Amino acid sequence: MKLGVRWTLHGDGRTPAPGAVVRPDERLSWPRTIGLGAQHVVAMFGASFVAPVLMGLDPNLAIMMSGVATVIFLLATRGRVPSYLGCSLSFVGVAATIRASGGDSATVTGAVLVVGLALFLVGLAVQRFGARIIHAAMPPVVTGAVVMLIGFNLAPVTASTYWPQDQWTALLVMAFTGLAVVCLRGFWSRIAIFLGLIFGYGISWLFDRLFGRIHSPAGGAEAVDHWRLNLSGVGKAEWIGLPDFHAPSFEWSAILVALPVVIALIAENAGHVKAVGEMTGESLDDRLGTAIAADGAASMLSTAVGGPPNTTYSENIGVMAATRVYSTAAYWAAAGFALLFGVCPKFGAIVAAVPGGVLGGITVILYGMIGLLGAQIWTNAGVDLRNPLNLVPTAAGIIIGIGGVSLKITDNFELSGIALGTIVVITGYHVLRAFAPAHMKDGQEPLLDSGTSAYDKNEEQGR
């Protein structure tokens, strides 16, 4: 049985030809592949540490289980879908609601385990009836919007959490990383994000020596005096140690609060598989059900031992977009690093010590790349956003998703952000389509601004 764990060497294994891509079943030399795996870890560790902390769960366990989840996903998809599975940010609000109602960590993980089961069953249904049931519900206009709002929904994390901690370091790291992506050649350009991290560490250390402490927010809402690079936790941490495990508990009230998030996870997975397919030039429709089921199974395993749920990480799509290396070997390397992090509290402390300003500079680029992949899906599919049937639901859903608009259903249940934006895009598109005139459904040119259309046509005729 083919498990997707064999790769052919791409070219000489050193520097791909200009414009070439390293496909999922190819790899560079092992040292370079391991370096790329480290870069994927850099991309994912911010959310993989922040999300479990916000959920009140052990971040070391989250890192370890993200490695296990990634292995499960790669084996299940036979190495055709390069992806990293990390802690899902979609559940942060759910965890807060459950805890506010008196629940504890066991209650949170029990509720989320049921969501993982629901996602697994959806994946089996897609395997049985085909990807058409997903594409029927989420055509390219919808999928592109979901990918876009997932990416741009992360913008407030950069703007309110990372960037304010050290705006000048963030600006320098952003500039350095951008220059590295564009100006460096060969392998060095493909690890530009990792180089940006190292650069940020150095700049933060230098600024501490030159200017002393900075007065800014540091992990909290209030501004305090603190060092940009604080390694005090590294000295206190042990070299080897297991994270904290606990069993889940199940309460119907908590389950009902968490269950609607499965909609966002389906959209995230569908958008991820679609985006990867667009980047690699290979149709992955036959892997969609497997990918969704694998994510569900991995989330069930993680929450069964007290970890957070997992999802395909959009941050790592940004890394692939920047490097054009889609080798699943790099993800195996990333999973290996994650497993080591999980049993090494000291290394986890080093990762956790990355200055917020450095993350601000890196995530500005990465999160933007993620969102713009949604626009790429629209472009490649020829989606006409001048058609109100396409424009209205996507516009509303994207603003809701990016702006964090919330809809309070009951005192204990609220939809917001990605989940609400996704629902608005999907249901809005199909409801409007049911009532839309035939010429809109047939893809003719019902424009919001006919003057713009005439101008475009006159320009084409002039050429």
Side-chain angles (χ1 to χ4, degrees):
M1 181 173 60
K2 185 178 179 181
L3 296 177
V5 293
R6 292 185 178 182
W7 303 272
T8 58
L9 191 65
H10 179 88
D12 61 2
R14 300 177 64 182
T15 304
V21 300
V22 180
R23 300 183 61 78
D25 59 351
E26 298 178 327
R27 65 170 176 84
L28 299 177
S29 65
W30 281 116
R32 288 168 172 77
T33 297
I34 292 171
L36 287 165
Q39 187 171 358
H40 279 295
V41 171
V42 171
M44 66 82 181
F45 76 72
S48 283
F49 268 94
V50 171
V53 168
L54 294 176
M55 294 176 68
L57 303 176
D58 184 354
N60 261 77
L61 179 58
I63 289 289
M64 186 175 75
M65 294 311 298
S66 74
V68 174
T70 299
V71 169
I72 291 173
F73 186 90
L74 293 173
L75 291 174
T77 58
R78 304 293 190 265
R80 288 185 57 197
V81 186
S83 298
Y84 191 91
L85 265 64
C87 180
S88 174
L89 288 164
S90 299
F91 289 92
V92 170
V94 166
T97 301
I98 293 174
R99 291 183 182 279
S101 301
D104 56 11
S105 294
T107 311
V108 171
T109 53
V112 176
L113 190 152
V114 176
V115 177
L117 174 61
L119 187 65
F120 176 74
L121 295 176
V122 170
L124 294 183
V126 174
Q127 282 183 314
R128 172 66 179 84
F129 300 105
R132 62 183 181 275
I133 66 172
I134 294 293
H135 293 315
M138 291 186 290
V141 59
V142 171
T143 306
V146 171
V147 172
M148 184 173 287
L149 68 87
I150 287 173
F152 291 159
N153 177 263
L154 297 168
V157 176
T158 295
S160 62
T161 302
Y162 297 140
W163 192 280
Q165 292 185 40
D166 189 352
Q167 60 177 359
W168 296 112
T169 295
L171 185 64
L172 288 173
V173 170
M174 179 191 71
F176 175 88
T177 304
L179 287 170
V181 171
V182 174
C183 298
L184 294 181
R185 295 291 181 266
F187 175 74
W188 294 108
S189 69
R190 296 173 188 269
I191 61 167
I193 305 300
F194 189 64
L195 294 177
L197 174 71
I198 296 175
F199 174 81
Y201 255 101
I203 286 293
S204 297
W205 178 86
L206 180 62
F207 281 4
D208 280 342
R209 305 286 81 76
L210 293 177
F211 307 117
R213 299 189 181 200
I214 186 173
H215 185 76
S216 70
E222 295 184 1
V224 296
D225 291 331
H226 64 93
W227 297 109
R228 296 167 180 83
L229 181 60
N230 184 358
L231 298 176
S232 61
V234 177
K236 299 175 183 178
E238 299 291 336
W239 279 103
I240 299 176
L242 289 174
D244 296 326
F245 298 94
H246 70 258
S249 65
F250 303 95
E251 296 182 10
W252 278 111
S253 59
I255 292 171
L256 292 176
V257 168
L259 201 55
V261 180
V262 74
I263 298 172
L265 295 182
I266 294 170
E268 285 177 355
N269 277 276
H272 182 92
V273 172
K274 180 69 174 177
V276 171
E278 293 285 347
M279 289 191 296
T280 61
E282 178 184 5
S283 175
L284 297 174
D285 287 356
D286 61 327
R287 294 287 93 187
L288 181 56
T290 303
I292 294 173
D295 187 5
S299 292
M300 291 169 63
L301 178 61
S302 177
T303 52
V305 298
N310 293 289
T311 188
T312 47
Y313 251 32
S314 50
E315 286 90 337
N316 295 91
I317 292 182
V319 174
M320 289 191 292
T323 64
R324 296 176 65 82
V325 176
Y326 310 121
S327 172
T328 54
Y331 283 100
W332 276 92
F337 279 121
L339 292 172
L340 291 175
F341 293 161
V343 296
C344 181
K346 188 173 289 292
F347 199 85
I350 294 174
V351 175
V354 176
V358 177
L359 291 176
I362 290 175
T363 55
V364 160
I365 295 176
L366 279 181
Y367 294 171
M369 285 181 174
I370 297 162
L372 290 177
L373 282 172
Q376 182 179 340
I377 291 173
W378 285 341
T379 300
N380 292 346
V383 174
D384 184 4
L385 290 179
R386 297 172 299 178
N387 186 336
L389 177 58
N390 296 330
L391 179 64
V392 172
T394 57
I398 288 172
I399 291 299
I400 287 173
I402 296 174
V405 175
S406 62
L407 182 66
K408 189 172 183 179
I409 310 300
T410 68
D411 291 339
N412 297 319
F413 178 53
E414 181 178 279
L415 285 171
S416 63
I418 292 176
L420 181 58
T422 299
I423 292 172
V424 168
V425 172
I426 295 174
T427 58
Y429 174 81
H430 290 289
V431 169
L432 290 175
R433 185 175 178 84
F435 291 96
H439 66 275
M440 289 189 183
K441 301 177 187 178
D442 294 338
Q444 294 180 16
E445 212 170 16
L447 305 179
L448 290 181
D449 186 350
S450 59
T452 300
S453 175
Y455 175 80
D456 292 341
K457 290 178 180 177
N458 290 335
E459 279 239 316
E460 291 175 3
Q461 291 172 0
R463 294 194 188 99

